[in-house]
Amino acid sequence: VPLSRGDWTEEALVVLASDGLAAVAVEPLARRLDATKGSFYWHFANRAELVAATLELWERRATAETIERIEVIADPRERLTALATGAYTRASRGNAYAALLAAASDPPVRALLERVTRTQLEFLERLYLDLDVPADRAPPHARLAYSVYLGISQLRIADPDNEPEGRELLTYLELAVDSIMPPGPAT
Amino acid sequence: VPLSRGDWTEEALVVLASDGLAAVAVEPLARRLDATKGSFYWHFANRAELVAATLELWERRATAETIERIEVIADPRERLTALATGAYTRASRGNAYAALLAAASDPPVRALLERVTRTQLEFLERLYLDLDVPADRAPPHARLAYSVYLGISQLRIADPDNEPEGRELLTYLELAVDSIMPPGPAT
DNA sequence: ACCTGAACACCGTTCAAGT
DNA sequence: ACCTGAACACCGTTCAAGT
């Protein structure tokens, strides 16, 4: 059964998450797929094209996942709770996002990160406006919420052998939710 | 004038911060230093030894800088303020830390990150105890504070062209400080 | 002590040749 | 349409030879 462009891209995304952007290399990927480098160059002009396709795939997945995880929740406060606790849960799986953050010197990666970040910040700004935060305070609230989201993910990636458990984990996530919850009437 | 081991390590740290761990490569480094690869292999057994030396250099610098920036501050609340605002200021310079986070699959890098993270968490736990946070709540508070610190740095790295200014920046940093300040008598 | 320069293995890229 | 296999350039590593 012949390989498709999608087969190469899927495998590249797996490698990106586990070993970083530099590990998205033609020859090792060819070995993983049991093909030759010549096969790769039938589907892609060069490595950069593969990287671009991999970034697009990740972007579509990340966007879709956010929508189905967060946007389906009606109540804005519950959305914030899902966001903070989701940051912790998500970071256990792969770290494509962390890999991308460190490859930020690569122009296509940088462009992707800026797009994603702005989309998330805009989403959060609308959310804080829904929570009756004044218009001039919504952007800073959104920025802090996204910072907390990023930080929770990163901390888990940086030190995966020292994770909180039980009551300590619950308190940590409660504090995280409190830190991004605006003042106002509790539900 | 002959090159020293330190010359290679200093240059490697510059490249690590600007272009990531993969860019810490022998031949490009030799070009930057106007030497040959053979010269490199007089000072180091291999690339791994250079990376190890670079990680050590960064660890010493990061530790020393934290001590002189934070530990000299007597009041715990002011320490927290310095920490949160410092996260924003620091991320503008280089992103060695971000580069290291993404190279976390590399065993020496992972070991380094775990050491640094635990030292910071312990420092923060003592700080919250000084602020009369109950013993069982100090670790979660420390963990959230470090998450906020990491997140602020990462957000600035991920989207450097969309930074807050003026009042928006001030509000953002105020919210960040509030988010990690424990309940208690205000100063 | 410190460095050069040639050598070889590995990965990116090309391309003629196969099915 | 899809792939192989050989070729060549680049970087990691070695090492004999230079000063």
Side-chain angles (χ1 to χ4, degrees):
Chain A
V1 52
L3 290 173
S4 72
R5 214 178 135 92
D7 293 326
W8 288 93
T9 311
E10 288 285 353
E11 196 70 13
L13 186 55
V14 170
V15 170
L16 170 67
S18 66
D19 297 320
L21 187 63
V24 178
V26 179
E27 189 161 298
L29 225 53
R31 269 200 300 268
R32 288 173 70 110
L33 291 171
D34 210 23
T36 63
K37 296 187 280 182
S39 168
F40 171 84
Y41 283 95
W42 169 257
H43 296 286
F44 298 90
N46 49 35
R47 177 180 176 275
E49 198 174 301
L50 169 67
V51 170
T54 308
L55 296 182
E56 275 170 37
L57 177 60
W58 179 80
E59 188 173 7
R60 267 184 284 124
R61 294 255 168 95
T63 306
E65 199 194 340
T66 301
I67 289 173
E68 73 181 44
R69 232 180 70 250
I70 304 292
E71 307 231 353
V72 295
I73 301 172
D75 181 65
R77 288 181 175 264
E78 282 178 21
R79 283 189 174 184
L80 283 178
T81 304
L83 196 90
T85 57
Y88 186 78
T89 311
R90 267 163 61 89
S92 68
R93 278 197 265 149
N95 47 2
Y97 191 86
L100 293 175
L101 280 177
S105 62
D106 188 54
V109 173
R110 157 151 309 192
L112 167 69
L113 287 176
E114 293 187 1
R115 276 198 306 279
V116 171
T117 300
R118 285 180 198 181
T119 302
Q120 308 271 40
L121 287 177
E122 282 164 21
F123 168 74
L124 284 163
E125 282 175 28
R126 284 194 302 271
L127 199 153
Y128 280 105
L129 291 175
D130 288 346
L131 286 167
D132 299 318
V133 168
D136 66 321
R137 293 180 65 83
H141 265 102
R143 188 169 289 272
L144 177 66
Y146 196 57
S147 300
V148 169
Y149 172 83
L150 280 179
I152 289 173
S153 308
Q154 296 289 8
L155 178 52
R156 196 164 186 197
I157 290 162
D159 192 13
D161 295 338
N162 185 26
E163 301 193 346
E165 292 174 2
R167 165 164 290 118
E168 189 175 326
L169 175 57
L170 288 179
T171 306
Y172 171 54
L173 294 178
E174 269 172 34
L175 287 173
V177 171
D178 289 350
S179 75
I180 61 176
M181 204 60 81
T187 316
Chain B
V1 50
L3 290 173
S4 70
R5 213 178 136 92
D7 293 326
W8 288 92
T9 312
E10 288 286 352
E11 197 69 14
L13 186 54
V14 170
V15 171
L16 170 66
S18 67
D19 297 320
L21 187 63
V24 178
V26 178
E27 189 162 295
L29 225 52
R31 269 199 301 267
R32 288 174 69 110
L33 290 171
D34 210 22
T36 62
K37 297 187 279 184
S39 168
F40 172 84
Y41 283 95
W42 169 258
H43 297 287
F44 298 90
N46 48 37
R47 179 180 176 274
E49 197 175 300
L50 170 67
V51 170
T54 309
L55 296 182
E56 274 170 35
L57 178 61
W58 178 81
E59 186 173 10
R60 266 184 284 124
R61 294 254 169 95
T63 306
E65 198 194 339
T66 301
I67 288 173
E68 72 181 44
R69 233 182 68 249
I70 303 292
E71 306 231 353
V72 295
I73 301 172
D75 181 66
R77 287 180 176 265
E78 283 177 20
R79 284 190 174 182
L80 282 179
T81 305
L83 196 89
T85 57
Y88 186 79
T89 310
R90 266 163 62 89
S92 67
R93 279 196 266 150
N95 46 1
Y97 191 86
L100 293 175
L101 280 177
S105 61
D106 188 54
V109 172
R110 157 151 307 192
L112 167 69
L113 287 176
E114 293 188 0
R115 277 199 306 281
V116 171
T117 300
R118 284 180 199 182
T119 303
Q120 308 272 39
L121 287 178
E122 282 165 20
F123 169 74
L124 285 163
E125 282 175 26
R126 284 193 303 272
L127 200 152
Y128 280 104
L129 290 174
D130 288 347
L131 285 168
D132 299 319
V133 167
D136 65 321
R137 293 181 64 83
H141 265 102
R143 189 169 288 273
L144 177 66
Y146 196 57
S147 299
V148 169
Y149 172 83
L150 281 178
I152 289 174
S153 308
Q154 294 291 7
L155 177 51
R156 196 165 186 197
I157 290 162
D159 192 12
D161 294 338
N162 184 26
E163 302 194 345
E165 290 175 2
R167 166 164 290 118
E168 188 174 329
L169 175 58
L170 289 178
T171 306
Y172 170 52
L173 294 178
E174 269 172 34
L175 287 173
V177 170
D178 290 349
S179 75
I180 62 176
M181 204 61 79
T187 316

